[in-house]
Amino acid sequence: MTWQTLDVRRDPRGVVHVTLNTPDRRNVLSAAMIAELTEFARRMAEERGTRAVVLSGAGSTFCAGGDLAWMKAQIEADRPQRLVEARKLAEMLQALNTLPVPLIGRLHGGAFGGGVGMACVCDVAVAARGTKFCFSETRLGIIPATIGPYVLARMGEGRARRVFMSARVFEADEAETLGLVSRVVDAADLDAAIEAEVAPYLATAPGAVAAAKSLARSLGPRIDASVIDDSITRLADIWEAEEARLGIQAFLDKRPPPWG
C-alpha cells in the first residue's frame, strides 16, 4: 500500500516504525490520517512476524491534535454525519489500543489534544525533554471525548483532572509525573531510549506478549463498546454547541475566542 499521511518501515528484526508524515501540518489528525492509521492497525493485527511498533511524528511536532478544518466540517454537517466521523476517530484509537504487539511512542516537540490521546494508546511512551503537552480542546469550545477513555486509563481520574479541562500547556517532566509518559530524555538520547524499550521484546514469545497485553487490558479500566459509544455521542453533542462553532472559527481566523 502507498501511504499518503504515514511513513511505514519494517526493519530486519520485525520492528515496524510508523511515522505520522504530514510535518507541514504538524501531523494533525486529518480524515485521511485517521483512515490510514486505522488501516495500518488492521494490517498489523493480521500480519505475523511483527515484534513491536514504534509510533513517531515527522518534523518538529509529534502530533498537534485534530484537524480543525475537519472539525469545522463536522459542525456544519448533520448529526448522522457527525456520528459517522466521530466513530472513525474512536475506532482508530481503539484499533491502535488493541494492537496485539507492543506499541511504543516516540514523542518530541509537542503532543496536543488528540496527540496526547495517541500517546495514551501506546503501551509505553518516551518523550524528548522540552516536549510540550496540552489538552487544548476546551480552549476551542470542545472536549477530549474520544481520547478520554484512554487518557483516564493511563493517568487515573485524579491526575487527569489536573490537566484534562484547563487547556494548560505543561512540560515533559510534568507529563512523566502525571503518568502520560514513562521516561523523559534529552533529544539526543531519544532514539537510544526507544531502542531500550524495543530490545526486550526481541527475546519474548510474540504470542505470549499478545496474550499478556490482552490480559492487562481486560484487568484495567473498562473500554468496551458502550464506553466508546458514549464518547462518540459526547463528541457529536459538543460539535453541535455554539461554543464549538465560535472557538474553532476563532482559531481558524487566528483571533482569540470570545472567552479569552
Coordinates of all heavy atoms in Angstrom, one line a residue, residues 57-145:
G57 N 6.5 11.0 15.0 CA 6.0 12.1 14.1 C 7.1 12.7 13.4 O 8.2 13.0 14.0
A58 N 6.9 13.0 12.1 CA 8.0 13.7 11.3 C 8.0 15.2 11.6 O 7.0 15.8 12.0 CB 7.7 13.5 9.8
G59 N 9.1 15.8 11.4 CA 9.2 17.3 11.6 C 9.4 17.7 13.0 O 9.9 17.0 13.8
S60 N 8.8 18.9 13.3 CA 9.1 19.5 14.6 C 8.1 19.0 15.7 O 8.4 19.3 16.9 CB 9.0 21.0 14.5 OG 7.7 21.4 14.1
T61 N 7.0 18.4 15.4 CA 6.0 18.1 16.3 C 5.5 16.6 16.2 O 5.3 16.2 15.0 CB 4.8 19.0 16.1 OG1 5.2 20.4 16.2 CG2 3.7 18.8 17.1
F62 N 5.3 16.0 17.3 CA 4.8 14.6 17.2 C 3.4 14.6 16.6 O 3.1 14.0 15.6 CB 4.7 14.0 18.6 CG 3.9 12.7 18.7 CD1 4.4 11.6 18.1 CD2 2.8 12.6 19.5 CE1 3.6 10.4 18.1 CE2 2.0 11.5 19.5 CZ 2.5 10.3 18.9
C63 N 2.4 15.3 17.2 CA 1.1 15.4 16.7 C 0.4 16.6 17.4 O 0.3 16.7 18.6 CB 0.3 14.2 17.0 SG -1.4 14.2 16.4
A64 N -0.1 17.5 16.5 CA -0.8 18.8 17.0 C -2.3 18.6 17.3 O -3.0 19.6 17.5 CB -0.5 19.9 16.1
G65 N -2.8 17.3 17.2 CA -4.2 17.1 17.6 C -5.0 17.0 16.3 O -4.6 16.7 15.2
G66 N -6.3 17.2 16.5 CA -7.3 17.1 15.4 C -7.2 18.2 14.4 O -6.8 19.3 14.7
D67 N -7.5 17.9 13.2 CA -7.5 18.8 12.1 C -8.7 19.7 12.3 O -9.9 19.3 12.2 CB -7.6 18.0 10.8 CG -7.6 18.9 9.6 OD1 -7.7 20.2 9.7 OD2 -7.6 18.4 8.4
L68 N -8.5 21.0 12.5 CA -9.6 21.9 12.8 C -10.5 22.1 11.6 O -11.7 22.4 11.7 CB -9.1 23.3 13.3 CG -8.6 23.3 14.7 CD1 -9.1 24.5 15.5 CD2 -8.7 22.0 15.5
A69 N -10.0 22.0 10.4 CA -10.8 22.1 9.2 C -11.8 21.0 9.2 O -13.0 21.1 8.8 CB -10.0 22.2 7.9
W70 N -11.3 19.8 9.5 CA -12.2 18.6 9.6 C -13.2 18.8 10.7 O -14.4 18.5 10.5 CB -11.3 17.4 9.9 CG -12.0 16.1 10.2 CD1 -12.7 15.3 9.3 CD2 -12.2 15.5 11.4 NE1 -13.2 14.2 9.9 CE2 -13.0 14.3 11.2 CE3 -11.8 15.8 12.7 CZ2 -13.3 13.4 12.2 CZ3 -12.1 14.9 13.8 CH2 -12.9 13.7 13.5
M71 N -12.8 19.4 11.8 CA -13.8 19.6 12.9 C -14.9 20.6 12.5 O -16.1 20.5 12.8 CB -13.1 20.1 14.2 CG -12.3 19.0 14.9 SD -11.7 19.6 16.4 CE -10.4 18.4 16.8
K72 N -14.4 21.6 11.8 CA -15.4 22.6 11.3 C -16.4 22.0 10.4 O -17.6 22.3 10.4 CB -14.7 23.8 10.6 CG -15.6 24.9 10.2 CD -14.9 26.0 9.4 CE -15.9 27.1 9.0 NZ -15.3 28.1 8.2
A73 N -15.9 21.1 9.6 CA -16.9 20.4 8.6 C -17.9 19.6 9.4 O -19.1 19.5 9.0 CB -16.1 19.5 7.7
Q74 N -17.5 19.0 10.6 CA -18.5 18.3 11.4 C -19.5 19.2 12.0 O -20.7 18.9 12.2 CB -17.8 17.5 12.5 CG -16.6 16.6 12.0 CD -16.9 16.0 10.6 OE1 -17.9 15.5 10.3 NE2 -15.9 16.2 9.7
I75 N -19.1 20.4 12.4 CA -20.0 21.4 13.0 C -21.1 21.8 11.9 O -22.3 22.0 12.3 CB -19.2 22.6 13.5 CG1 -18.4 22.2 14.7 CG2 -20.2 23.8 13.8 CD1 -17.4 23.3 15.2
E76 N -20.7 21.8 10.7 CA -21.6 22.2 9.6 C -22.4 21.0 9.1 O -23.3 21.2 8.3 CB -20.8 22.9 8.5 CG -20.1 24.2 9.0 CD -19.2 24.8 7.9 OE1 -18.8 24.0 7.0 OE2 -18.7 25.9 8.1
A77 N -22.0 19.8 9.5 CA -22.7 18.6 9.0 C -24.0 18.4 9.8 O -24.2 19.0 10.8 CB -21.8 17.4 9.1
D78 N -24.8 17.4 9.3 CA -25.9 17.0 10.2 C -25.5 16.0 11.2 O -24.4 15.5 11.1 CB -27.1 16.4 9.3 CG -26.7 15.2 8.4 OD1 -25.7 14.6 8.8 OD2 -27.3 15.0 7.4
R79 N -26.4 15.7 12.1 CA -26.0 14.8 13.2 C -25.5 13.4 12.8 O -24.5 12.9 13.3 CB -27.1 14.7 14.3 CG -26.6 13.9 15.5 CD -27.6 14.0 16.7 NE -27.1 13.2 17.8 CZ -26.2 13.6 18.7 NH1 -25.8 14.9 18.6 NH2 -25.9 12.9 19.7
P80 N -26.3 12.7 11.9 CA -25.8 11.4 11.4 C -24.4 11.4 10.9 O -23.6 10.5 11.2 CB -26.8 11.0 10.4 CG -28.0 11.7 10.7 CD -27.6 13.0 11.3
Q81 N -24.0 12.5 10.1 CA -22.6 12.6 9.6 C -21.6 12.8 10.7 O -20.5 12.3 10.7 CB -22.5 13.7 8.6 CG -21.2 13.8 7.9 CD -20.8 12.5 7.2 OE1 -21.6 11.8 6.6 NE2 -19.5 12.2 7.1
R82 N -22.0 13.6 11.7 CA -21.1 13.9 12.9 C -20.8 12.6 13.6 O -19.7 12.3 14.0 CB -21.8 14.9 13.9 CG -21.9 16.3 13.4 CD -22.4 17.2 14.5 NE -22.7 18.5 14.0 CZ -23.9 19.0 13.9 NH1 -24.9 18.3 14.2 NH2 -24.1 20.2 13.4
L83 N -21.9 11.8 13.8 CA -21.7 10.5 14.5 C -20.8 9.6 13.7 O -19.9 8.9 14.2 CB -23.0 9.8 14.7 CG -23.9 10.5 15.8 CD1 -25.3 9.9 15.7 CD2 -23.3 10.3 17.2
V84 N -20.9 9.6 12.4 CA -20.1 8.7 11.5 C -18.6 9.1 11.6 O -17.7 8.3 11.8 CB -20.5 8.8 10.0 CG1 -19.4 8.3 9.1 CG2 -21.8 8.1 9.8
E85 N -18.3 10.5 11.6 CA -17.0 10.9 11.7 C -16.4 10.7 13.0 O -15.2 10.4 13.2 CB -16.9 12.4 11.2 CG -17.2 12.6 9.8 CD -16.3 11.9 8.8 OE1 -15.1 12.0 9.0 OE2 -16.8 11.2 7.9
A86 N -17.2 11.0 14.1 CA -16.7 10.7 15.4 C -16.3 9.3 15.6 O -15.3 8.9 16.3 CB -17.7 11.2 16.5
R87 N -17.1 8.4 15.1 CA -16.8 7.0 15.2 C -15.5 6.6 14.5 O -14.8 5.7 15.0 CB -18.0 6.1 14.6 CG -17.8 4.6 14.8 CD -19.1 3.9 14.5 NE -20.1 4.1 15.5 CZ -20.1 3.6 16.7 NH1 -19.2 2.7 17.1 NH2 -21.1 3.9 17.6
K88 N -15.2 7.2 13.4 CA -14.0 6.9 12.7 C -12.8 7.2 13.6 O -11.8 6.4 13.7 CB -13.9 7.7 11.4 CG -14.8 7.3 10.3 CD -14.7 8.2 9.1 CE -15.7 7.7 8.0 NZ -15.6 8.7 6.8
L89 N -12.8 8.3 14.3 CA -11.8 8.7 15.2 C -11.7 7.7 16.4 O -10.6 7.3 16.7 CB -12.0 10.1 15.7 CG -11.0 10.7 16.7 CD1 -9.6 10.6 16.2 CD2 -11.4 12.1 17.1
A90 N -12.8 7.4 16.9 CA -12.9 6.5 18.1 C -12.4 5.1 17.7 O -11.6 4.4 18.4 CB -14.3 6.4 18.6
E91 N -12.7 4.6 16.5 CA -12.3 3.3 16.1 C -10.8 3.3 15.7 O -10.2 2.2 15.9 CB -13.1 2.9 14.8 CG -14.6 2.5 15.2 CD -15.4 2.1 14.0 OE1 -15.0 2.3 12.9 OE2 -16.6 1.6 14.3
M92 N -10.3 4.4 15.3 CA -8.8 4.4 15.0 C -8.1 4.3 16.4 O -7.1 3.5 16.5 CB -8.5 5.8 14.4 CG -7.0 5.9 14.1 SD -6.1 6.8 15.5 CE -6.7 8.4 15.3
L93 N -8.5 5.0 17.4 CA -7.9 4.9 18.7 C -8.0 3.5 19.3 O -7.0 3.0 19.8 CB -8.5 5.9 19.6 CG -8.2 7.4 19.3 CD1 -9.2 8.3 20.1 CD2 -6.8 7.8 19.6
Q94 N -9.2 2.9 19.1 CA -9.3 1.6 19.7 C -8.5 0.6 18.9 O -8.0 -0.4 19.5 CB -10.8 1.2 19.7 CG -11.1 -0.2 20.2 CD -10.9 -0.3 21.7 OE1 -10.1 0.4 22.3 NE2 -11.6 -1.2 22.3
A95 N -8.4 0.7 17.6 CA -7.6 -0.2 16.8 C -6.1 -0.1 17.2 O -5.4 -1.2 17.3 CB -7.7 0.1 15.3
L96 N -5.6 1.0 17.5 CA -4.2 1.2 18.0 C -4.1 0.6 19.4 O -3.1 0.0 19.7 CB -3.8 2.6 17.9 CG -3.6 3.2 16.5 CD1 -3.3 4.7 16.6 CD2 -2.4 2.5 15.8
N97 N -5.1 0.9 20.2 CA -5.1 0.5 21.6 C -5.1 -1.1 21.7 O -4.5 -1.6 22.7 CB -6.3 1.0 22.4 CG -6.2 0.8 23.9 OD1 -5.2 1.2 24.5 ND2 -7.2 0.1 24.4
T98 N -5.7 -1.7 20.8 CA -5.8 -3.2 20.9 C -4.8 -3.9 20.0 O -5.0 -5.1 19.8 CB -7.3 -3.6 20.6 OG1 -7.6 -3.1 19.3 CG2 -8.2 -3.1 21.6
L99 N -3.9 -3.2 19.4 CA -2.8 -3.9 18.7 C -2.3 -5.1 19.5 O -1.9 -5.0 20.6 CB -1.7 -3.0 18.3 CG -1.8 -2.1 17.1 CD1 -0.6 -1.2 17.0 CD2 -1.9 -3.0 15.8
P100 N -2.1 -6.3 18.9 CA -1.6 -7.4 19.6 C -0.1 -7.5 19.7 O 0.5 -8.5 20.1 CB -2.1 -8.6 18.8 CG -2.2 -8.1 17.4 CD -2.6 -6.6 17.5
V101 N 0.6 -6.3 19.4 CA 2.0 -6.2 19.6 C 2.3 -4.9 20.4 O 1.4 -4.0 20.4 CB 2.7 -6.1 18.2 CG1 2.5 -7.4 17.4 CG2 2.2 -4.9 17.4
P102 N 3.4 -4.8 21.0 CA 3.7 -3.6 21.8 C 3.8 -2.4 20.9 O 4.3 -2.4 19.8 CB 5.1 -3.9 22.4 CG 5.3 -5.4 22.3 CD 4.5 -5.8 21.1
L103 N 3.2 -1.3 21.4 CA 3.2 0.0 20.7 C 4.0 1.0 21.5 O 3.6 1.3 22.7 CB 1.8 0.4 20.4 CG 1.6 1.8 19.7 CD1 2.2 1.7 18.3 CD2 0.1 2.2 19.6
I104 N 5.0 1.5 21.0 CA 6.0 2.4 21.7 C 5.9 3.7 21.1 O 6.2 3.9 19.9 CB 7.4 1.8 21.7 CG1 7.4 0.4 22.4 CG2 8.4 2.7 22.4 CD1 8.6 -0.5 22.1
G105 N 5.6 4.7 21.9 CA 5.5 6.1 21.4 C 6.8 6.9 21.5 O 7.4 6.9 22.6
R106 N 7.2 7.5 20.5 CA 8.4 8.3 20.5 C 8.0 9.8 20.3 O 7.6 10.2 19.2 CB 9.4 7.9 19.3 CG 10.7 8.7 19.2 CD 11.4 8.4 17.9 NE 12.7 9.0 17.7 CZ 12.9 10.3 17.4 NH1 11.8 11.0 17.1 NH2 14.1 10.7 17.3
L107 N 8.0 10.6 21.4 CA 7.4 11.9 21.4 C 8.4 13.0 21.4 O 9.4 12.9 22.1 CB 6.5 12.1 22.6 CG 5.5 10.9 22.9 CD1 4.6 11.3 24.1 CD2 4.7 10.6 21.7
H108 N 8.2 14.0 20.6 CA 9.1 15.2 20.6 C 8.2 16.4 20.2 O 7.2 16.3 19.6 CB 10.2 15.0 19.6 CG 9.8 15.1 18.2 ND1 9.0 14.2 17.5 CD2 10.0 16.1 17.3 CE1 8.8 14.7 16.3 NE2 9.4 15.8 16.1
G109 N 8.7 17.5 20.5 CA 8.1 18.8 20.0 C 6.9 19.1 20.8 O 6.8 20.0 21.6
G110 N 5.8 18.4 20.4 CA 4.5 18.7 21.1 C 3.5 17.6 20.8 O 3.5 16.9 19.8
A111 N 2.7 17.4 21.8 CA 1.5 16.5 21.7 C 0.3 17.2 22.3 O 0.3 17.5 23.5 CB 1.8 15.2 22.5
F112 N -0.6 17.6 21.4 CA -1.7 18.4 21.8 C -3.0 17.7 21.5 O -3.1 17.0 20.4 CB -1.7 19.7 21.0 CG -0.4 20.5 21.4 CD1 0.7 20.4 20.5 CD2 -0.4 21.4 22.4 CE1 1.8 21.2 20.8 CE2 0.8 22.1 22.7 CZ 1.9 22.0 21.9
G113 N -4.0 17.8 22.3 CA -5.3 17.3 22.0 C -5.2 15.8 21.7 O -4.8 15.0 22.5
G114 N -5.7 15.4 20.5 CA -5.6 14.1 20.0 C -4.2 13.5 20.0 O -4.1 12.3 20.1
G115 N -3.2 14.3 20.0 CA -1.8 13.8 20.0 C -1.5 13.2 21.4 O -0.8 12.3 21.5
V116 N -2.1 13.8 22.5 CA -2.0 13.2 23.8 C -2.7 11.9 23.8 O -2.2 10.9 24.4 CB -2.5 14.1 24.9 CG1 -2.1 13.6 26.3 CG2 -1.9 15.5 24.8
G117 N -3.9 11.8 23.2 CA -4.6 10.6 23.1 C -3.8 9.5 22.4 O -3.8 8.3 22.8
M118 N -3.1 9.9 21.4 CA -2.2 8.9 20.7 C -1.1 8.4 21.6 O -0.8 7.2 21.6 CB -1.6 9.6 19.5 CG -2.6 10.0 18.4 SD -3.2 8.6 17.4 CE -1.7 8.4 16.3
A119 N -0.6 9.2 22.4 CA 0.4 8.8 23.4 C -0.2 7.8 24.4 O 0.5 6.8 24.8 CB 1.0 10.0 24.1
C120 N -1.4 8.0 24.7 CA -2.1 7.2 25.8 C -2.5 5.8 25.2 O -2.7 4.9 26.1 CB -3.3 7.9 26.3 SG -2.8 9.3 27.4
V121 N -2.6 5.6 23.9 CA -2.9 4.3 23.4 C -1.6 3.5 23.3 O -1.7 2.3 23.0 CB -3.7 4.3 22.1 CG1 -5.0 4.9 22.4 CG2 -3.0 4.9 21.0
C122 N -0.5 4.1 23.4 CA 0.8 3.4 23.4 C 1.0 2.6 24.7 O 0.6 3.0 25.7 CB 2.0 4.4 23.2 SG 2.0 5.2 21.6
D123 N 1.7 1.5 24.6 CA 2.0 0.7 25.8 C 3.0 1.4 26.6 O 3.0 1.3 27.9 CB 2.5 -0.7 25.4 CG 1.4 -1.4 24.7 OD1 0.3 -1.7 25.3 OD2 1.6 -1.8 23.5
V124 N 3.9 2.1 26.0 CA 4.9 3.0 26.7 C 5.2 4.1 25.8 O 5.2 4.0 24.6 CB 6.2 2.2 27.1 CG1 6.8 1.6 25.8 CG2 7.1 3.0 27.9
A125 N 5.4 5.3 26.4 CA 5.7 6.5 25.6 C 7.0 7.1 26.2 O 7.0 7.3 27.4 CB 4.6 7.5 25.5
V126 N 7.9 7.5 25.4 CA 9.1 8.2 25.8 C 9.1 9.6 25.2 O 8.9 9.7 23.9 CB 10.4 7.4 25.4 CG1 11.6 8.1 26.0 CG2 10.3 6.0 26.0
A127 N 9.4 10.6 25.9 CA 9.4 12.0 25.4 C 10.8 12.6 25.5 O 11.5 12.4 26.5 CB 8.4 12.8 26.2
A128 N 11.1 13.4 24.4 CA 12.3 14.2 24.5 C 12.0 15.4 25.4 O 10.9 15.9 25.5 CB 12.6 14.7 23.1
R129 N 13.1 15.7 26.2 CA 13.0 16.9 27.1 C 12.6 18.1 26.2 O 13.1 18.3 25.1 CB 14.3 17.1 27.8 CG 14.2 17.9 29.1 CD 15.5 17.9 29.9 NE 16.0 16.5 30.0 CZ 15.5 15.7 31.0 NH1 14.6 16.0 31.8 NH2 16.1 14.5 31.1
G130 N 11.7 18.9 26.7 CA 11.2 20.1 26.0 C 9.9 19.9 25.3 O 9.3 20.8 24.8
T131 N 9.5 18.6 25.2 CA 8.2 18.3 24.5 C 7.1 19.0 25.3 O 7.1 18.9 26.6 CB 7.9 16.8 24.4 OG1 9.0 16.2 23.7 CG2 6.6 16.5 23.7
K132 N 6.1 19.6 24.7 CA 5.0 20.2 25.4 C 3.7 19.4 25.1 O 3.5 18.9 24.1 CB 4.9 21.7 24.9 CG 6.1 22.5 25.2 CD 5.8 24.0 24.9 CE 7.1 24.8 25.1 NZ 7.6 24.7 26.5
F133 N 2.9 19.5 26.2 CA 1.7 18.7 26.2 C 0.5 19.6 26.5 O 0.7 20.6 27.2 CB 1.7 17.6 27.2 CG 2.7 16.5 26.9 CD1 4.1 16.8 27.2 CD2 2.4 15.3 26.3 CE1 5.0 15.8 27.0 CE2 3.4 14.4 26.1 CZ 4.7 14.6 26.4
C134 N -0.7 19.3 25.9 CA -1.8 20.2 26.2 C -3.1 19.5 25.8 O -3.2 19.0 24.6 CB -1.7 21.5 25.5 SG -3.1 22.6 25.8
F135 N -4.1 19.4 26.7 CA -5.4 19.0 26.3 C -6.1 20.3 25.9 O -6.7 21.0 26.7 CB -6.2 18.4 27.4 CG -5.6 17.0 27.8 CD1 -4.7 16.9 28.9 CD2 -6.0 15.9 27.1 CE1 -4.2 15.7 29.2 CE2 -5.5 14.6 27.5 CZ -4.6 14.5 28.5
S136 N -5.9 20.7 24.6 CA -6.3 22.0 24.1 C -7.8 22.2 23.8 O -8.2 23.3 23.4 CB -5.5 22.3 22.9 OG -5.5 21.3 21.9
E137 N -8.5 21.1 23.9 CA -9.9 21.1 23.4 C -10.8 22.2 24.0 O -11.5 22.9 23.3 CB -10.6 19.7 23.6 CG -10.0 18.6 22.7 CD -8.8 17.9 23.3 OE1 -8.2 18.4 24.3 OE2 -8.4 16.9 22.7
T138 N -10.8 22.4 25.3 CA -11.7 23.3 25.9 C -11.4 24.8 25.5 O -12.3 25.6 25.6 CB -11.7 23.2 27.5 OG1 -10.4 23.3 28.0 CG2 -12.3 21.8 27.9
R139 N -10.2 25.0 25.2 CA -9.8 26.3 24.6 C -10.6 26.6 23.3 O -10.9 27.7 23.0 CB -8.3 26.4 24.4 CG -7.8 27.7 23.7 CD -7.8 28.9 24.6 NE -7.2 30.0 24.0 CZ -7.4 31.3 24.4 NH1 -8.0 31.5 25.5 NH2 -6.8 32.3 23.8
L140 N -10.9 25.5 22.6 CA -11.6 25.6 21.3 C -13.1 25.4 21.5 O -13.9 25.5 20.5 CB -11.1 24.5 20.4 CG -9.6 24.6 20.1 CD1 -9.2 23.3 19.4 CD2 -9.3 25.8 19.2
G141 N -13.6 25.2 22.7 CA -15.0 25.0 22.9 C -15.5 23.6 22.7 O -16.7 23.3 22.6
I142 N -14.6 22.6 22.7 CA -14.9 21.2 22.6 C -14.3 20.5 23.8 O -13.8 21.1 24.7 CB -14.4 20.6 21.2 CG1 -12.9 20.8 21.1 CG2 -15.2 21.3 20.1 CD1 -12.4 20.2 19.8
I143 N -14.4 19.1 23.8 CA -13.9 18.3 24.9 C -13.1 17.2 24.4 O -13.3 16.7 23.2 CB -15.1 17.8 25.7 CG1 -16.0 16.9 24.9 CG2 -15.9 18.9 26.4 CD1 -17.1 16.2 25.8
P144 N -12.2 16.6 25.2 CA -11.4 15.5 24.8 C -12.2 14.2 24.9 O -11.9 13.4 25.8 CB -10.2 15.5 25.7 CG -10.7 16.3 26.9 CD -11.7 17.2 26.5
A145 N -13.2 14.0 24.1 CA -14.2 13.0 24.2 C -13.7 11.6 23.9 O -13.6 10.7 24.7 CB -15.4 13.3 23.4

